[in-house]
Amino acid sequence: MIHAVLYAGLLVAMLLVNNFSTLAQGLSMLHAAGTKMQDANGKEVVLRGFNLGGWLLQESYILQTDTLNSQWRIKQGMLRTMSEAEMEDFYRQYRANYITKADIDFLAKQGFNCVRLPFHYDLFLTAAQRHARTEVIRDPQNAKKLAAYVQSLSTWYDQNQLFTDQRLEGFRQIDNVLSWCAANNMYVILDLHAAPGGQGTDRNINDNFRPLDMWKRRDAKGRAIYQDITVRFWEKLAARYKNDGRVAMYDLVNEPHNLNAANGMSPDNKELSAFYARLITAVRAQGDQHLLLLEGNGYGNEYTNLTPDKLAIRDKSNLAYNAHRYGCPNTADAADANPNQINLIKNLVAFRDRWQVPVWVGETGENSNDWFATAVQILKDQNIGWCHWNIKRVNSQASLLRIKPYGSILTPEGRAALLHNVQFANCIPSRDVVAALTQPSSFTAPFAPLTIPGTIQAADYDLGRAGVAYQDAYSAKVDFKVDTPWNLGGAYRNDGVDIQLSSDSPKNGFSVGHLAAGEWLNYTVRVASSGAYAVQLRVQPAATPGRLTLKLGDAVVGTIAINQQSNAAEWQTVTLTTAPLPAGQHTLRLCIDQPVGQISWLRFMPAGRASAGGE
């Protein structure tokens, strides 16, 4: 009987190995060849994909729990009304629902070839070890509790009891993603997003109890124990995945930041350089030759003392360097005076060519579609890959999949709604974001089928970037230091066009507002029959007289003045009669000659049938 059980176990193991080989056979280990990433056949691979943020580490703004600020504070809030077991059960359900194979299949269908997988180190703790961390979460200002947790980590470290159980939740989730991605011929970047102790001061990103504890905390033996644990963590991951071609890179530590003299550290990244040398050496000691992605100080961008010549390592092969690009210029000539600050394109390219290493934009996004499209184009021109942030976000038009609002994560009703709303089938795909990331700069297409006669919702202008589908006075944020919002509406779509909620538009609940002189919107329309049309426009005047012009192609077909009124918040319906419109498909352009407060809709009727009413 024992022999039969052993044989059955061996058979299962062989089947798993064969299954792994089948899944991974379309992907081979990537390596650095000068400035390029190549597969085993010497073919260049440019990685373009999406981050799976908010899943294996909750960031508050992704879930719109900003007042809670970090995952441990979300958990702390839950623990006020539920047991630890109930909280753990919620998180198991959350992880099961947030990302599934359906999400990965959707990414593949859009043409992306990789995902970056951000995760929290606590998913690689046993239940008992995570319980010890939860005790700190209950009372994080209690120095004795935190010291006790650190001492427990030290003991587990010395006894080799960290990250050893191959059934840990973190390993299980990585294996799931690797399997789903391999089935779609997509690579995975493993990203330690929340490192032991916290790699910076922003606890929303690294879920730390004390700022910079990774660098400053010492255990009873005087060791930088969080760093030691992080080294051990990558040793265990390397031992497990060293021959896995589905893994593109190891992103060793996400966004170290505020490592500076003001926080009691060196001004030139000496601590980070020494730590990277330890991590690289530890991974290579496992016989692992995966690409290792380094992230600079200052949220992943500043590389003083982190260049290959400064790293105290013997093997300098297969290193890649990362940039995180948010709210910065997308022009080829924009540069930083510091050559080691590489989020601007000119610096990024010069750094790559100077050090003959691959560079990759591990995070970019959180801006308008026009900024996305411009960034993608300039990175494509330089043959640099990227990974967009983020696949999902609650009620955000900038994400690929929009999660509907759910209430509060601290109530049973809110949690139930969240578990439902995060599922792929219940998310709203952002077609405009997909188009911005995957289509050429000249691309345009109808956002909705529009016919004349009929009603055109103002917010249903064509897909495409600024200057192609629309023109807006301010359509992208290109300087993170400037707080001026690039969108004054924030609803429905992710362009510079200021779309806002409007109860006056029962067809889709939105209007276009803040319309300045020189702005315009294009609509692809099908004119059913030729002839002149009466057009009702539902408008809210501005504080000054307004004027609108309609064009069909290049021809002006109608103009109307919008009178200012004492109560500019009131809507009014105005009517114009067009010149004869030819039948067929055309581009209708709504031009703003003089400012208008809002436009809700345009209704086309055969001339002579217009009434004074409106919706």
Side-chain angles (χ1 to χ4, degrees):
M1 183 66 179
I2 293 176
H3 290 294
V5 171
L6 290 174
Y7 176 77
L10 180 61
L11 181 60
V12 169
M14 292 175 62
L15 289 172
L16 288 173
V17 170
N18 290 335
N19 186 47
F20 164 82
S21 300
T22 301
L23 289 173
Q25 65 184 359
L27 300 168
S28 65
M29 195 90 76
L30 300 183
H31 65 273
T35 62
K36 298 179 179 180
M37 298 180 190
Q38 294 181 346
D39 65 15
N41 296 318
K43 180 183 178 182
E44 183 177 11
V45 176
V46 180
L47 297 169
R48 298 184 178 97
F50 259 85
N51 280 276
L52 307 183
W55 178 32
L56 304 184
L57 165 67
Q58 291 175 333
E59 297 190 46
S60 292
Y61 71 94
I62 291 178
L63 294 181
Q64 290 198 345
T65 60
D66 290 358
T67 57
L68 295 175
N69 189 249
S70 65
Q71 181 172 284
W72 73 254
R73 289 197 66 198
I74 295 172
K75 290 184 173 183
Q76 184 187 62
M78 289 182 183
L79 288 169
R80 295 191 184 104
T81 59
M82 60 199 303
S83 68
E84 182 177 348
E86 290 170 327
M87 181 194 73
E88 289 285 348
D89 183 61
F90 165 77
Y91 274 94
R92 277 190 291 271
Q93 294 180 67
Y94 178 83
R95 291 190 293 268
N97 288 8
Y98 189 95
I99 295 293
T100 65
K101 187 174 184 297
D103 296 279
I104 304 302
D105 291 346
F106 179 76
L107 287 174
K109 288 177 182 176
Q110 312 314 311
F112 302 110
N113 66 355
C114 72
V115 299
R116 179 171 175 258
L117 179 60
F119 46 72
H120 196 306
Y121 86 94
D122 72 353
L123 293 176
F124 298 85
L125 300 176
T126 65
Q129 291 166 350
R130 194 159 58 250
H131 168 72
R133 189 172 191 273
T134 300
E135 287 301 295
V136 182
I137 288 174
R138 292 182 185 276
D139 188 11
Q141 299 308 313
N142 188 318
K144 289 184 178 180
K145 281 193 173 184
L146 181 56
Y149 174 60
V150 172
Q151 183 55 47
S152 295
L153 288 172
S154 299
T155 300
W156 296 327
Y157 176 82
D158 288 335
Q159 296 176 355
N160 194 27
Q161 294 178 347
L162 289 171
F163 321 126
T164 55
D165 187 341
Q166 299 300 299
R167 300 165 297 176
L168 292 169
E169 175 75 355
F171 290 131
R172 189 176 70 82
Q173 296 294 356
I174 287 176
D175 290 346
N176 282 341
V177 173
L178 288 172
S179 176
W180 299 335
C181 285
N184 286 290
N185 211 37
M186 298 172 68
Y187 282 100
V188 178
I189 296 88
L190 301 183
D191 161 36
L192 180 55
H193 215 75
Q199 61 271 26
T201 60
D202 189 334
R203 63 187 180 192
N204 188 59
I205 293 172
N206 49 215
D207 200 40
N208 57 337
F209 296 121
R210 301 286 189 277
L212 301 167
D213 246 13
M214 167 179 268
W215 313 102
K216 296 185 175 184
R217 176 75 59 173
R218 296 292 185 270
D219 68 359
K221 296 181 178 180
R223 298 176 295 187
I225 189 61
Y226 283 131
Q227 293 182 44
D228 292 350
I229 290 169
T230 306
V231 171
R232 177 72 53 81
F233 173 81
W234 279 112
E235 287 175 342
K236 298 299 185 182
L237 257 70
R240 182 182 177 98
Y241 297 109
K242 61 183 178 182
N243 297 317
D244 198 326
R246 301 172 296 179
V247 177
M249 292 186 282
Y250 299 152
D251 193 342
L252 296 173
V253 180
N254 173 70
E255 292 188 337
H257 60 279
N258 286 332
L259 281 60
N260 52 40
N263 285 312
M265 299 179 67
S266 71
D268 54 4
N269 298 333
K270 283 189 174 66
E271 295 91 346
L272 186 56
S273 182
F275 187 46
Y276 276 146
R278 288 189 66 192
L279 290 172
I280 294 166
T281 300
V283 170
R284 296 297 183 236
Q286 304 301 313
D288 191 325
Q289 291 301 314
H290 273 103
L291 284 167
L292 301 181
L293 184 67
L294 306 187
E295 298 210 21
N297 193 4
Y299 296 93
N301 291 307
E302 207 285 321
Y303 287 93
T304 297
N305 279 324
L306 304 176
T307 50
D309 64 316
K310 298 293 185 181
L311 293 171
I313 54 176
R314 291 185 178 182
D315 184 357
K316 299 179 187 289
S317 64
N318 287 338
L319 300 181
Y321 284 77
N322 168 84
H324 286 189
R325 305 190 72 248
Y326 294 106
C328 57
N330 282 321
T331 55
D333 58 346
D336 193 289
N338 178 2
N340 292 316
Q341 174 71 30
I342 66 172
N343 63 318
L344 298 182
I345 295 295
K346 190 170 184 177
N347 291 57
L348 184 61
V349 172
F351 186 95
R352 175 191 66 184
D353 295 345
R354 165 69 178 84
W355 297 109
Q356 286 294 292
V357 290
V359 294
W360 190 62
V361 178
E363 290 185 21
T364 182
E366 299 296 336
N367 211 308
S368 71
N369 290 332
D370 192 63
W371 192 92
F372 297 165
T374 306
V376 166
Q377 185 59 53
I378 198 167
L379 290 170
K380 181 180 179 182
D381 292 343
Q382 297 296 339
N383 211 36
I384 296 172
W386 47 267
C387 207
H388 199 77
W389 188 275
N390 185 47
I391 185 173
K392 291 180 179 179
R393 188 171 164 186
V394 173
N395 205 29
S396 170
Q397 284 68 42
S399 60
L400 184 69
L401 297 167
R402 179 154 50 94
I403 302 169
K404 298 172 187 175
Y406 60 92
S408 172
I409 198 171
L410 299 183
T411 67
E413 298 81 10
R415 288 190 291 273
L418 178 61
L419 293 176
H420 175 269
N421 292 357
V422 298
Q423 296 173 36
F424 173 77
N426 301 321
C427 292
I428 303 170
S430 300
R431 293 188 296 123
D432 52 331
V433 172
V434 173
L437 295 174
T438 62
Q439 298 296 332
S441 58
S442 59
F443 170 82
T444 186
F447 183 78
L450 304 174
T451 58
I452 294 176
T455 299
I456 297 173
Q457 299 295 319
D460 287 344
Y461 58 91
D462 286 351
L463 288 168
R465 61 181 305 179
V468 177
Y470 70 93
Q471 185 60 48
D472 188 85
Y474 186 37
S475 58
K477 184 174 183 177
V478 295
D479 186 344
F480 71 91
K481 299 184 294 296
V482 177
D483 291 330
T484 304
W486 53 265
N487 192 294
L488 297 173
Y492 195 48
R493 297 172 67 173
N494 193 52
D495 294 315
V497 179
D498 303 306
I499 302 175
Q500 56 204 65
L501 295 173
S502 173
S503 60
D504 194 71
S505 182
K507 288 290 191 299
N508 67 359
F510 304 100
S511 64
V512 176
H514 305 279
L515 292 150
E519 296 183 344
W520 49 262
L521 301 165
N522 277 357
Y523 303 86
T524 298
V525 298
R526 184 180 64 81
V527 180
S529 57
S530 60
Y533 285 84
V535 186
Q536 292 181 335
L537 298 95
R538 188 67 168 165
V539 301
Q540 191 182 79
T544 57
R547 193 172 100 162
L548 303 173
T549 293
L550 290 178
K551 291 183 177 180
L552 204 69
D554 295 326
V556 173
V557 296
T559 298
I560 190 167
I562 310 296
N563 296 325
Q564 65 185 110
Q565 57 188 30
S566 57
N567 185 357
E570 291 184 2
W571 288 88
Q572 59 182 256
T573 302
V574 296
T575 304
L576 66 84
T577 300
T578 71
L581 307 182
Q585 182 168 296
H586 304 279
T587 297
L588 176 74
R589 176 170 292 185
L590 173 62
C591 303
I592 316 304
D593 303 324
Q594 295 175 1
V596 174
Q598 295 186 65
I599 300 177
S600 180
W601 43 260
L602 303 83
R603 178 176 298 136
F604 287 76
M605 296 168 286
R609 288 181 53 187
S611 68
E615 294 182 336

